[in-house]
Each structure stands twice: as structure tokens, then as C-alpha cells.
Amino acid sequence: MRSPADVSPAQVPAFPQPRTCPHEPPPGYDVLRGEGPLARVTLFDGREVWFVTGYEEARALLTDTRLSADRTRPDYPVLAPRFAAAVAQRLPLIAMDPPVHDVHRKLLNPDFSLKKSRAWREDVQRIVDECLDAMEAKGPPADLVPDLALNVPSRVIAQLLGVPDEDVPFFQDASRRLMQATEAGPSQAAGAELTRYLSELAGQLRKSGDGPGLMGRLAGREVREGTLSHEELVQISLVLLVAGHETTTSVISLGTVLLLEHPEQLARIRADASAVPAAVEELLRMLQVTDLAGARVAAEDIEIAGKTIRAGEGVLFSGTLANRDPRVHEAPDTFDVGRDSRSHLAFGYGIHQCIGQNLARLELDVVFRTLWRRLPGLRLAVPVSDLSLRGTGTGTVQGVNSLPVTW
Ligand code: HEM
């Protein structure tokens, strides 16, 4: 095994790397996979960081309090220039360490419990049905991204936060610009637009003392009582909006592609709807739409797998490769909807593990139960190789710009 000191910069692979197939890891990951559970990669700014590809090592490190998620730390690994923007650095929850992280998480937990998420089923089913009604009315063909994959999570988050329906198109557009901008400027501008909007909404809700959804609850109680500041509520809402939007969209669109490309696997869930929950876990494992299961910086030296992560070094968690660790999953590159893949790292692990995972699972479950029932002849209208990939090689969520389908 090579130690970082033995590796010249020219030999260290770059990160992020582009996918060439929307649902397969970048071809360059084969090399990283062969490096053992902890590899090294080079970022755009020339900095070398750790790349954790082993499943057990990832779980151990993601629960290690010596690693920090605080993006305002000067040595936090920045994946692309636009992530250096202040708006990305100061995000609550995802970019903060305890104790503040835990205070926010506790305030939000009631809205994301398994029980609460289950109570959403009827609403999610209605939203999915309405999207498919509209798609059927104007097609075939259709573009599954705007018509279903983007629409469902947007409407769910809007309802979760208590945002009026008429503002959803603005949300979809602004959050896409925030996530997808290649430069810091446009990303900051979109973040500022969303912040302004949410701030106005939070202000109205605080005055009225109530309102539907999470923002109404927090504005009416926590902000009024001073447990949470107005700015914190706005930032938390922004994080929920962005974190729950593109991710779920991509699992719906890429999941549809993966299933259509494996008709024998699709046949299993079409024959038996009770197979859908396990299939959703397998889609999450195989797709790992965030590519990374987290990014951290070491606050102290950490010994692991015969290596030393030095204080100040960046650590990236390759969910993509950890989910395909052959020590955990047999034939890890085989898509098998019947396997037990629930232990994947698609939602991360440890204190930052995705707060919206129950809701995301519910949305995916309803979509993948309903889609084939409503449109039994659904198929891609273009070859997979013609799909325009989104987010690839950018360090953000992996997906497709559009998904032409017919039925
Ligand atoms: C399939 C869809 C989703 C995927 C694949 C996903 C993935 C992830 C991952 C990998 C993390 C961990 C990041 C880290 O440790 O640095 C995370 C955290 C988070 N996710 Fe999700 N997510 C999804 C849906 C959602 C939804 C629907 C919401 C909310 C409506 C949401 C809100 C969050 C938040 C707030 C965090 C930060 C939690 C914390 O730091 O305590 N996500 N998600």
C-alpha cells in the first residue's frame, strides 16, 4: 500500500470525475477502487485529500467526532470554485458541528419521524397521480424530469415547508441555479433570491403566529419564543429545500432508466408491489446520486486502516464505492432488486445522516409503485447514450437534464 508521501501529484487521480453512463460510477473509479479502503485524490485547487472507499472505514469515520463538517474552517475541502461561496459555507445542519447542529436537528426531528412521513402517503400519492394525469393528458411523448421527477419532490418540499403552490416554479428554478451554477456568482445570486423569499415568508408566518407546514410551526413557536432566530429558520428552510430537491429528482429519473435497462428486475416489482421497498434501497445503493456520502476535515490526527489522517486534511466519503464494497455486498456491481441493501450509505451515516430519508423513501416508493401501473408501456424515447448528463464531474448531484419517454 502506498503512503501519501510516496505518491507524486501526477499519480493522484482527480476528483470529481465525470460519469459516462448516468447510473454507473465514473470509469476512473476502477483505479481508486484498487487503492484499498483509503485512497487519495486531487481537487481543482491542487490540494490532495483522502478518498474513503471502504464501507466499514467510512462508517467508522462518519461517526468519529474528530472529523468536522464545518465548512467555514479554512482547511475544509472545497470541491469546486462555486462551493467557496459564503452561502454554501454557512448552511445549518449539513455544514455545522455540534452543539449547534444538534440543537437544530432536535427542533426539526418531529417533522421527519417515520410516523410523520408515513402520514404523508396520501398526499404524496395525490401529487404523483396529478403529475401523471398531466403527463398522460399531453403525451406521449413526455419529459419525465420536469413532468414527474422534479415536480414530485418540489411539491412535497413546498408542502412540508408550508410554501404556497404558486411559488413552486420559482423554487424549482432558483434551487436548480443554486446547485448547478459553475461559478460562485450565479450560485450566490440564486441563494440570495431564495433567502429573500423565505425570509419574507418566515416574517409573515411569525406575525400570523401559525401557518401550515414546518416553517409555520417553527416561526410561530420557536422564533417567537427566541429558541431559533429568524435567520436560522430561513437558512434551515433553504437547506431542506436544496437537500431534498435535486437528490430525490435524480433517484426518480435515474432509477427509471436503471429499471428500464433491466427488464427482468423491473418485471419483479411489476409482478409484486411488495418488492418495491427493497428495490428502492437497491436503486439508492447503485445510483448514489450524491456520489459522496459526505465531506469533512480532520480536527485531530486519526489512525485508520494503517494510515494516518493528519489534522487539517480533507476527507471525502465515496458513497459510490463504499456501496460497492465487495466485503459487504456480493457481486456489488450487479443490480438485484431482491437483495438486502438497506445498509447503503446513500443517505450518509452518523449525526449528519439524511434527516429527510423517510420522506424520500416514501416518495420513491409511491413513484415506483404508481409509474408502471399507470403507464405499463413506459419506455425511453431515446437511447441511454443520448441522454444529457447533469452534475457529472462537478461534485454535485448526479442526474440527467431531461428524460424523454413514451408509452
Ligand atoms: C433520495 C433522496 C436523498 C438523498 C440521496 C439524500 C442524501 C443525503 C446525504 C448523503 C446526506 C449526508 C450529507 C453529509 O453527511 O455530509 C444528507 C443529509 C441531509 N439531507 Fe438528504 N437526501 C435525500 C433526500 C432528502 C430530503 C427529501 C430532505 C428534506 C426534505 C433532505 C434533507 C437533508 C438534510 C437537512 C441533511 C443534513 C442533515 C444533517 O446534517 O444533520 N434530504 N442527505
Side-chain angles (χ1 to χ4, degrees):
M1 193 73 52
R2 294 182 300 187
S3 76
D6 300 326
V7 182
S8 74
Q11 290 172 292
V12 178
F15 184 86
Q17 293 188 17
R19 288 187 180 187
T20 50
C21 167
H23 53 75
E24 287 296 324
Y29 278 19
D30 283 347
V31 174
L32 287 161
R33 221 175 189 177
E35 301 268 316
L38 267 78
R40 301 278 287 181
V41 290
T42 315
L43 303 180
F44 76 97
D45 54 5
R47 185 175 167 200
E48 263 186 49
V49 295
W50 293 100
F51 195 65
V52 183
T53 64
Y55 178 82
E56 289 305 340
E57 291 76 8
R59 293 222 304 188
L61 286 168
L62 280 166
T63 47
D64 194 315
T65 53
R66 291 170 294 179
L67 286 179
S68 166
D70 183 351
R71 295 184 194 185
T72 62
R73 292 177 85 111
D75 40 15
Y76 183 87
V78 177
L79 303 183
R82 69 191 176 287
F83 293 127
V87 67
Q89 288 181 350
R90 291 199 211 102
L91 296 176
L93 292 164
I94 205 146
M96 285 187 179
D97 290 334
V100 179
H101 167 269
D102 301 356
V103 171
H104 289 161
R105 184 101 189 190
K106 220 168 153 186
L107 283 176
L108 291 178
N109 275 340
D111 296 276
F112 291 97
S113 67
L114 192 55
K115 199 169 155 217
K116 205 60 179 252
S117 298
R118 281 188 179 144
W120 270 88
R121 184 171 283 274
E122 227 171 87
D123 282 321
V124 174
Q125 185 69 60
R126 179 181 44 79
I127 289 171
V128 170
D129 278 326
E130 283 173 9
C131 290
L132 290 173
D133 287 346
M135 207 169 116
E136 264 191 302
K138 64 176 185 183
D143 183 347
L144 199 92
V145 171
D147 291 352
L148 184 76
L150 203 57
N151 231 336
V152 172
S154 291
R155 288 182 58 183
V156 169
I157 293 163
Q159 194 169 323
L160 175 86
L161 294 178
V163 167
D165 278 354
E166 61 269 23
D167 296 335
V168 172
F170 160 76
F171 265 122
Q172 289 183 331
D173 178 57
S175 64
R176 183 184 300 201
R177 282 185 283 125
L178 176 68
M179 300 290 286
Q180 295 288 309
T182 47
E183 302 294 332
S187 162
Q188 263 172 321
E193 272 178 59
L194 282 165
T195 307
R196 211 175 310 124
Y197 174 79
L198 290 167
S199 179
E200 276 169 28
L201 185 62
Q204 285 165 17
L205 291 167
R206 192 182 45 189
K207 274 190 213 130
S208 63
D210 61 3
L214 182 152
M215 285 185 78
R217 180 176 72 78
L218 294 180
R221 200 177 315 153
E222 309 300 340
V223 177
R224 274 189 161 192
E225 288 171 11
T227 332
L228 195 69
S229 74
H230 173 85
E231 285 68 32
E232 282 173 314
L233 174 57
V234 172
Q235 288 298 306
I236 285 172
S237 306
L238 188 67
V239 166
L240 291 172
L241 173 79
V242 173
H245 197 120
E246 199 91 16
T247 44
T248 318
T249 297
S250 281
V251 182
I252 295 173
S253 51
L254 298 188
T256 303
V257 176
L258 189 56
L259 282 162
L260 288 172
E261 286 228 287
H262 292 82
E264 74 298 345
Q265 299 298 319
L266 177 56
R268 291 166 76 176
I269 61 167
R270 291 179 67 156
D272 176 11
S274 70
V276 171
V280 164
E281 299 308 322
E282 177 67 346
L283 288 173
L284 288 162
R285 179 185 79 84
M286 290 293 285
L287 296 171
Q288 186 69 42
V289 295
T290 58
D291 194 26
L292 294 181
R296 307 283 188 267
V297 57
E300 295 172 38
D301 287 1
I302 301 170
E303 302 279 341
I304 184 155
K307 306 276 170 88
T308 305
I309 299 172
R310 300 269 173 221
E313 287 193 305
V315 184
L316 307 183
F317 293 91
S318 173
T320 299
L321 289 176
N323 282 350
R324 292 167 184 246
D325 184 336
R327 296 174 299 173
V328 179
H329 297 292
E330 215 181 300
D333 298 320
T334 304
F335 176 49
D336 174 2
V337 298
R339 74 160 88 214
D340 178 7
S341 23
R342 216 182 144 87
S343 57
H344 59 70
L345 298 183
F347 292 121
Y349 195 69
I351 62 163
H352 293 280
Q353 194 177 40
C354 182
I355 199 169
Q357 60 182 289
N358 294 326
L359 191 55
R361 284 189 165 108
L362 174 72
E363 291 177 57
L364 297 169
D365 186 76
V366 173
V367 164
F368 289 119
R369 272 173 205 265
T370 313
L371 189 56
W372 324 108
R373 182 169 49 73
R374 292 279 310 266
L375 303 173
L378 188 82
R379 58 193 186 280
L380 298 185
V382 298
V384 173
S385 54
D386 284 2
L387 294 174
S388 150
L389 305 191
R390 174 189 195 84
T392 185
T394 63
T396 54
V397 179
Q398 308 293 296
V400 283
N401 287 310
S402 75
L403 188 58
V405 290
T406 190
W407 55 91

